[in-house]
Amino acid sequence: AQTVTQSQPEMSVQEAETVTLSCTYDTSESNYYLFWYKQPPSRQMILVIRQEAYKQQNATENRFSVNFQKAAKSFSLKISDSQLGDTAMYFCAFKKTGTASKLTFGTGTRLQVTL
Amino acid sequence: GAVVSQHPSRVICKSGTSVKIECRSLDFQATTMFWYRQFPKKSLMLMATSNEGSKATYEQGVEKDKFLINHASLTLSTLTVTSAHPEDSSFYICSARVPGQGVYEQFFGPGTRLTVL
């Protein structure tokens, strides 16, 4: 079974600064997908960024980028130029390849962006 | 992006009653939907995978007679919490996989907060 670990329950960052959220996972699969989801106070889950394990290049979406280290089974999220609207719970998630496979979520990191 | 709705957004019921939660894909057909449960300040726990026209696949430890799932059409899945008790109070979230959009994308509904008195 796959496990996803987020070791930072809470983090805080000042507006316009950069913050990195950590995620590690454990799997025996060689190919899989990794995701970061954001859950703001509205509770609506929003996909932030995704990474295919077979791709060496780190994914980037505007201010959000990942540092994917496959050998270390590490998948951290970097948020640049933090904005107040980034305040949310962030969940790292893992998915095996295959259309029927499910998402396995980490325990989440609560990020607070302050003035 | 694809839109998934849930109804109701919140419900309060008495212990012993049954509650039905609907999950709809608004602009696409979803052959597969997922039901999650989220406790306060906790992560999402997958309860079951709902497949259109067939029986749902439940995760270990989830009582299928307690949490009835029906996926009768390509745009609607329902979760019925039968004989609800206070310990069933939680936030329930559904998601749907979009066919043809790659095998990795799930779109989430806004969730339903269930409170059992």
Side-chain angles (χ1 to χ4, degrees), chain A residues 2-9 11 19-27 32-37 49 51 65-78 90-95 104-109, chain B residues 43:
Chain A
Q2 284 67 230
T3 58
V4 179
T5 302
Q6 292 179 250
S7 59
Q8 305 153 315
M11 292 195 72
V19 64
T20 299
L21 308 184
S22 301
C23 173
T24 58
Y25 57 93
D26 188 24
T27 184
Y32 44 86
Y33 304 98
L34 295 163
F35 308 84
W36 279 98
Y37 281 90
I49 199 166
Q51 174 84 39
S65 61
V66 298
N67 183 1
F68 173 49
Q69 301 290 326
K70 190 173 184 179
K73 296 181 181 175
S74 171
F75 182 61
S76 61
L77 174 70
K78 185 171 81 171
Y90 286 82
F91 293 100
C92 179
F94 172 99
K95 182 183 181 302
T104 300
F105 286 92
T107 50
T109 296
Chain B
S43 187

Side-chain angles (χ1 to χ4, degrees), chain A residues 33 35 37 39 42-47 50 52 89 91 95-103 105-108 110, chain B residues 4 32 34 36 38-46 49 59 91 93 97 103-111 113:
Chain A
Y33 304 98
F35 308 84
Y37 281 90
Q39 189 180 41
S42 68
R43 306 295 292 272
Q44 173 74 60
M45 293 286 285
I46 302 166
L47 177 65
R50 59 174 170 254
E52 289 92 343
M89 280 289 289
F91 293 100
K95 182 183 181 302
K96 292 193 298 184
T97 55
T99 57
S101 56
K102 61 185 182 183
L103 283 170
F105 286 92
T107 50
R110 182 173 301 279
Chain B
V4 176
T32 304
F34 303 87
Y36 296 87
Q38 185 179 31
F39 290 103
K41 299 184 179 181
K42 298 293 185 182
S43 187
L44 281 72
M45 300 299 296
L46 180 66
T49 302
E59 294 299 302
F91 194 68
I93 304 174
R97 188 176 62 83
V103 299
Y104 41 70
E105 187 99 33
Q106 286 185 29
F107 291 89
F108 288 81
R113 180 174 301 284

Side-chain angles (χ1 to χ4, degrees), chain B residues 4 14 16-17 20-21 32 57 61 66 82 84 87-88 111 117:
Chain B
V4 176
K14 293 182 179 179
T17 61
K20 180 184 285 187
I21 302 170
T32 304
T57 303
K66 172 77 171 175
T82 62
E87 57 266 29
D88 298 324
L117 302 177

